[in-house]
Amino acid sequence: MDLRSIFISNGVGVFILLMLLYVSRAKIIMNRAEDRLYSFMVFGVMLACVMEASSYALDGRLFPGAKLLNYIANTYLYSVNLLLPFAVLAYVDLGLCGDTKRIWRCYKPQIIIGIAMFAANAINFFIPISYYISPQNVYERRPFSYVYYIVILYYCISAMVVTSRYEKENGAKAFFSIHMFLLPILVGAGLQFMFYGLSLAWLSAAIGLTGLYMMQQNEMAFVDVLTDTYNRQYLNHILTAWVGRSIDFCGVMIDVDRFKAINDDYGHSEGDKALKTVADVLKGARVDGEWVFRFAGDEFVVLQMSSSTDELAAYMSRVEKTLQERNKTAGTYELSLSWGMSRYGSNDIDAFMRGMDNKMYGMKEEHHRSK
């Protein structure tokens, strides 16, 4: 056991997290449950780095209170070993679904297992089933400690499952990769599990949290906050990337009819609700890999990798059908859309966008004449 390497690895972990807190202090919206949970994970891992270094430093040292301090440090480490992966699971679910009540409703098995493991952690003070600290203040693993690693793996798999289910139902979130987040944690914990004396788990957790922060920043830069669709900046990025890779694609530009009247008659908050409703309908109608972007104001663009507009026409049929069903129960105003499709084929993005725009305004004029 090399104390210097242990201090260095955990010290680097603390330094990374301190830098993370410094750069994120003005960007984390602390009134959101997921942001508070993220801060909890950062501070929890930072303290774990300190506690792990302390436990190794205390090992074999004999002075008044040394054994108690060793127990405190290891009790915290075993506890946070459970809390961190469950916090990851809760964070993922909140980020995807945004419902705090869902955590208690959908993850009862994980919560029950966690409570049982915390009970085992308390029992360990009296019956050393997880670890034992000898009269010489030397830490020893006991067989039950391996159950903690199984539970950690179970929580991580649960996070992967909920992400996979969400992607099947709603499409993948371009800036959220659960594997990028969990891989450093799993690798570090796995190596520390196999090689006692190696201290990588909490440094790896710090790296995973940094990766998560980077994904947060990408999402803030490229996702429209109001509608939770991609924004115009990311649309330009995708168009340039697809053209550069010679990908065949089609698009449809969509405009909300009489949107100004909704704002004027019912207020801007109701206008925001209308935009959210349209965005939800556009996202909910996806079945063939459609990408939804908020282009500007009440205009949206949907792209699809395809050499024909037939699939996008079927997509718009689903959108129109859903809106008609919504309008049957709407008590205030009805929502209708004007739209125009185009296929990219001229090596000119501007011409592609103008093609959609012109057709959309042609339909919009027809709608105005028919009213």
Side-chain angles (χ1 to χ4, degrees):
M1 180 174 63
D2 184 355
L3 277 179
R4 184 173 61 178
S5 64
I6 290 168
F7 288 151
I8 290 173
S9 62
N10 285 288
V12 170
V14 171
F15 177 77
I16 289 173
L17 294 173
L18 285 173
M19 291 296 295
L20 188 60
L21 288 173
Y22 177 78
V23 299
S24 66
R25 69 193 189 283
K27 297 180 181 179
I28 292 179
I29 308 170
M30 292 302 294
N31 61 342
R32 297 193 313 174
E34 56 265 44
D35 292 321
R36 293 195 297 270
L37 190 57
Y38 179 78
S39 296
F40 167 79
M41 289 190 286
V42 170
F43 284 111
V45 171
M46 192 185 304
L47 184 55
C49 290
V50 174
M51 287 294 187
E52 180 158 88
S54 299
S55 69
Y56 278 107
L58 288 166
D59 202 52
R61 302 293 193 275
L62 292 174
F63 58 84
K67 189 173 180 180
L68 176 61
L69 291 174
N70 209 355
Y71 263 111
I72 291 172
N74 281 285
T75 298
Y76 177 82
L77 290 171
Y78 273 81
S79 299
V80 80
N81 264 318
L82 296 171
L83 282 173
L84 180 64
F86 182 78
V88 169
L89 172 60
Y91 182 89
V92 169
D93 195 277
L94 283 171
L96 296 175
C97 305
D99 183 3
T100 53
K101 294 180 181 178
R102 183 186 141 85
I103 304 297
W104 309 108
R105 186 173 66 249
C106 296
Y107 300 112
K108 289 179 182 176
Q110 289 86 349
I111 292 171
I112 292 170
I113 290 173
I115 292 172
M117 295 301 292
F118 273 108
N121 207 12
I123 291 170
N124 193 83
F125 274 107
F126 310 99
I127 305 173
I129 55 175
S130 301
Y131 64 91
Y132 172 66
I133 296 179
S134 71
Q136 290 74 36
N137 199 24
V138 175
Y139 169 90
E140 298 175 9
R141 279 182 185 172
R142 290 293 169 93
F144 191 78
S145 65
Y146 299 110
V147 177
Y148 284 81
Y149 289 93
I150 296 172
V151 173
I152 291 170
L153 185 61
Y154 172 57
Y155 285 155
C156 292
I157 291 173
S158 298
M160 293 178 186
V161 169
V162 71
T163 304
S164 177
R165 286 176 179 170
Y166 179 90
E167 290 176 353
K168 287 180 181 178
E169 295 174 3
N170 303 282
K173 280 205 168 187
F175 309 110
F176 185 84
S177 170
I178 187 62
H179 301 94
M180 177 180 172
F181 183 27
L182 290 179
L183 186 60
I185 297 173
L186 290 173
V187 169
L191 289 172
Q192 192 156 324
F193 166 76
M194 291 185 291
F195 305 104
Y196 175 69
L198 194 64
S199 181
L200 289 175
W202 302 113
L203 173 60
S204 301
I207 293 171
L209 288 171
T210 304
L212 177 58
Y213 176 75
M214 294 168 64
M215 288 186 280
Q216 286 177 332
Q217 299 315 299
N218 283 335
E219 184 168 355
M220 290 173 66
F222 295 122
V223 174
D224 180 67
V225 176
L226 177 65
T227 61
D228 195 32
T229 61
Y230 301 126
N231 61 20
R232 186 168 181 171
Q233 184 177 353
Y234 196 60
L235 170 65
N236 295 333
H237 169 76
I238 289 296
L239 288 171
T240 302
W242 287 5
V243 169
R245 291 158 56 192
S246 300
I247 292 174
D248 292 327
F249 61 91
C250 301
V252 55
M253 185 174 286
I254 302 160
D255 180 88
V256 181
D257 293 333
R258 295 172 295 280
F259 180 70
K260 185 177 183 301
I262 296 174
N263 274 331
D264 292 343
D265 295 342
Y266 302 99
H268 288 279
S269 61
E270 193 63 38
D272 287 346
K273 290 180 183 178
L275 289 177
K276 291 178 185 178
T277 299
V278 171
D280 289 342
V281 170
L282 295 177
K283 291 185 290 183
R286 296 174 299 184
V287 295
D288 295 312
E290 295 87 359
W291 294 54
V292 181
F293 305 83
R294 185 182 180 189
F295 184 66
D298 61 325
E299 293 180 352
F300 296 85
V301 169
V302 179
L303 298 181
Q304 184 185 62
M305 293 183 185
S306 176
S307 58
S308 168
T309 58
D310 292 345
E311 292 173 348
L312 268 184
Y315 167 81
M316 288 308 301
S317 295
R318 295 191 298 273
V319 169
E320 295 281 10
K321 182 179 178 181
T322 303
L323 274 182
Q324 289 171 10
E325 293 172 354
R326 178 263 175 198
N327 288 336
K328 290 177 183 178
T329 59
T332 50
Y333 56 85
E334 294 187 352
L335 287 172
S336 65
L337 306 174
S338 296
W339 45 274
M341 279 190 245
S342 180
R343 184 177 72 85
Y344 179 82
S346 62
N347 294 322
D348 187 344
I349 293 176
D350 289 337
F352 167 71
M353 298 297 292
R354 282 196 304 272
M356 292 190 294
D357 193 48
N358 291 336
K359 292 176 183 177
M360 179 192 73
Y361 275 101
M363 181 182 287
K364 198 171 187 70
E365 289 178 3
E366 289 181 12
H367 287 176
H368 281 295
R369 285 196 298 267
S370 65
K371 292 296 182 181

